[in-house]
Amino acid sequence: MREQRPYWNTNVARHSGILRAVPPGCSTALDVGCGDGLLARRCGRVVGVDSSAGMVARARALHAEPTFLEGDFLTIDLPAEGFDFVCSVTAVHHMDFTAALTRMRELLCPGGVLLVVGLAREETAADWARRVAAAPLVRTVKVLRRAGGPADMPEAAPGMSYREVREAAEQVLPGVRYRWHVLRRYSLTWQKP
């Protein structure tokens, strides 16, 4: 029996967009920072990796089929060019950003798609203006939907600004598509040549 969700997880708000990014015919997917495994249902074979033992245990309890591995994404044994789709939802700021993007790139099959939804910090006046403008809507949605997350979900403040994220991503993933989102999020979408 699946656990009922008593809250609305702000990360879950991104899942429909991530699932739409899964390439047609995707047979292998990697979910980096898989949390409780909500993305583990779109491809033939899914591997979820998370450094939190609690989150991996929760994912295994909620989903019988995918493989969930506990460990450091940067060092865990995974097949090079072994995945058609690699995604990460609000986990990359827990790692060395450049190393994480480089590893994700290397794990993608040629033609594979990478999608990262990450957190960044405000740096410029424009960053702060966007955050202030979105604050009333964000707060209302969070209160009405009882926003929260699993107790075992690790939290960390983002260390990089939006500008730093964009510049570093463009170095590692030439041609990457960058988008700013509310809730301190951005997304990176890239297809491996």
Side-chain angles (χ1 to χ4, degrees):
M1 183 167 148
R2 303 241 167 161
E3 176 183 328
Q4 294 296 316
R5 295 186 152 304
Y7 56 82
W8 176 76
N9 183 328
T10 54
N11 295 334
V12 173
R14 306 284 177 240
H15 286 197
S16 61
I18 291 166
L19 292 176
R20 282 192 303 272
V22 174
C26 178
S27 63
T28 57
L30 175 64
D31 189 355
V32 178
C34 64
D36 54 10
L38 291 174
L39 294 177
R41 41 185 126 126
R42 186 51 78 107
C43 299
R45 182 176 148 261
V46 177
V47 175
V49 176
D50 204 296
S51 62
S52 166
M55 293 312 300
V56 170
R58 184 176 170 87
R60 288 176 179 155
L62 290 171
H63 308 282
E65 301 233 358
T67 300
F68 294 104
L69 305 173
E70 177 190 347
D72 180 351
F73 167 69
L74 297 176
T75 59
I76 200 163
D77 188 29
L78 295 166
E81 294 193 343
F83 299 95
D84 298 315
F85 182 65
V86 175
C87 67
S88 178
V89 180
T90 62
V92 75
H93 70 285
H94 291 267
M95 302 173 244
D96 177 285
F97 184 79
T98 301
L101 287 188
T102 301
R103 180 105 201 268
M104 290 179 205
R105 181 189 69 204
E106 292 168 353
L107 293 171
L108 273 177
C109 295
V113 174
L114 169 63
L115 179 63
V116 173
V117 175
L119 296 173
R121 65 176 170 73
E122 292 77 13
E123 174 185 55
T124 66
D127 292 342
W128 282 104
R130 286 190 298 222
R131 183 169 183 189
V132 169
L137 174 63
V138 169
R139 182 70 186 142
T140 301
V141 169
K142 284 185 171 185
V143 167
L144 291 175
R145 292 192 174 177
R146 297 183 343 204
D152 293 332
M153 185 176 286
E155 293 185 18
M160 295 175 72
S161 69
Y162 293 101
R163 177 190 54 79
E164 291 167 331
V165 164
R166 186 176 201 157
E167 289 173 359
E170 288 171 348
Q171 289 296 312
V172 177
L173 308 169
V176 68
R177 191 177 89 214
Y178 169 93
R179 288 186 59 210
W180 176 88
H181 302 275
V182 295
L183 298 172
R184 301 182 90 182
R185 296 332 192 249
Y186 64 84
S187 62
L188 305 171
T189 307
W190 184 73
Q191 185 167 17
K192 188 171 186 174

